[in-house]
Amino acid sequence: MTMPVAFSTLDVRTADGNADSHLARPDDGGPHPGVLFYMDAYGLRPYLREMMEAIAANGFTVLAPNVFYRSGRAPVLPMPESTDPVGHAKFFAALGPMRAAFTPDKALADAQTYLDWLSAAEFVAPGPVAVTGYCMGGRLALRTAGAFGNRIAAAASFHGGRLAVDDQPDSPHHAAAGITAELWIAHASQDDSMPPEQIARLDKALDAAHVRYTSVVYPNTRHGFTMRDTPVFDQAAYDRHLADLLALLRRAQQAR
């Protein structure tokens, strides 16, 4: 049985300013295990609230920061129509400078701030938290797990891209040795940003580091398959993702 959810907006103070953020939690006044939710490149928007509330209704306190806060408050750019692929291509072209400004070092500095916020929040139970991320957020989730070790109980990446690029020092597979969390990594079957050779390279790095992980390809899906407000949304894959994510979070909760 799911729980009623309370939703709010807030600012998380970082070294570089205020990260406007969304918070969803069970509306019972008590503390629950924390989840850091990394958005996709489209940013904080009503649909992500829906996703956060689905997680929170199952007993978790979910924080989703606007990782592009240095470039403006969400929505940093207006969301294109879901059925307009040309509009989505133009969106990503305009987003380029904002993504470039969000450097790997800044990403990890922000991650520490978000983890500290969760540790201090009255609605978050003591102990390590979980991280879930989508598209570029999947990459951030794995990098956070690698950088913060036992502060992370579980980490999930859904249709994350460029997770195992040898010539990129910040590629998540280079940080596998620092991961103590259980991982769930769900790939799209059609994804130029995460081709089979990268999946194999990531699995090899995780095996060498003795990481507990599941690496799975959801069939007949494209990059971004969980996102209802984009042209690549797949309902069956979204439902599977939510079931797989909640199972991971519950395993982490039982291990606390």
Side-chain angles (χ1 to χ4, degrees):
M1 180 179 295
T2 58
M3 309 170 70
V5 172
F7 179 86
S8 58
T9 59
L10 67 149
D11 286 350
V12 176
R13 182 67 181 171
T14 77
D16 291 336
N18 290 318
D20 49 312
S21 305
H22 291 174
L23 183 72
R25 60 178 178 81
D27 193 16
D28 61 359
H32 295 271
V35 177
L36 175 57
F37 183 111
Y38 279 127
M39 65 188 213
D40 64 343
Y42 289 109
L44 298 186
R45 57 197 190 277
Y47 176 57
L48 290 200
R49 172 176 175 172
E50 175 186 326
M51 296 177 73
M52 294 172 64
E53 289 180 337
I55 300 169
N58 284 273
F60 301 92
T61 296
V62 187
L63 175 71
N66 167 23
V67 304
F68 293 141
Y69 69 89
R70 293 175 181 85
S71 298
R73 299 180 72 84
V76 181
L77 291 172
M79 185 74 183
E81 293 294 325
S82 63
T83 56
D84 178 15
V86 174
H88 286 268
K90 290 180 178 178
F91 177 95
F92 277 97
L95 192 66
M98 301 176 194
R99 298 182 75 166
F102 183 51
T103 65
D105 288 345
K106 289 178 179 178
L108 290 185
D110 287 348
Q112 180 168 339
T113 299
Y114 305 142
L115 295 176
D116 290 346
W117 188 94
L118 286 166
S119 294
E122 62 176 319
F123 296 115
V124 178
V129 303
V131 187
T132 186
Y134 301 84
C135 298
M136 72 164 200
R139 181 181 172 101
L140 290 172
L142 297 188
R143 291 194 67 223
T144 299
F148 295 96
N150 59 15
R151 295 190 68 178
I152 309 300
S157 167
F158 294 95
H159 44 78
R162 302 182 67 78
L163 304 181
V165 183
D166 273 341
D167 62 358
Q168 290 187 357
D170 64 316
S171 180
H173 77 297
H174 291 312
I179 297 173
T180 61
E182 180 185 353
L183 305 184
W184 186 275
I185 310 167
H187 308 286
S189 61
Q190 302 172 50
D191 190 346
D192 291 341
S193 71
M194 197 64 197
E197 58 270 23
Q198 275 199 58
I199 295 175
R201 187 179 301 129
L202 176 61
D203 290 354
K204 181 178 179 180
L206 296 174
D207 286 336
H210 305 291
V211 176
R212 296 167 296 150
Y213 76 97
T214 299
S215 176
V216 60
V217 176
Y218 288 6
N220 304 314
T221 55
R222 292 183 286 168
H223 181 81
F225 57 76
T226 62
M227 296 297 157
R228 192 183 308 278
D229 52 1
T230 71
V232 297
F233 176 70
D234 184 291
Q235 183 67 55
Y238 171 85
D239 293 341
R240 179 180 177 182
H241 126 272
L242 185 59
D244 288 341
L245 174 60
L246 291 174
L248 174 71
L249 298 180
R250 289 170 181 141
R251 289 194 298 274
Q253 184 179 18
Q254 292 168 359
R256 291 166 70 93

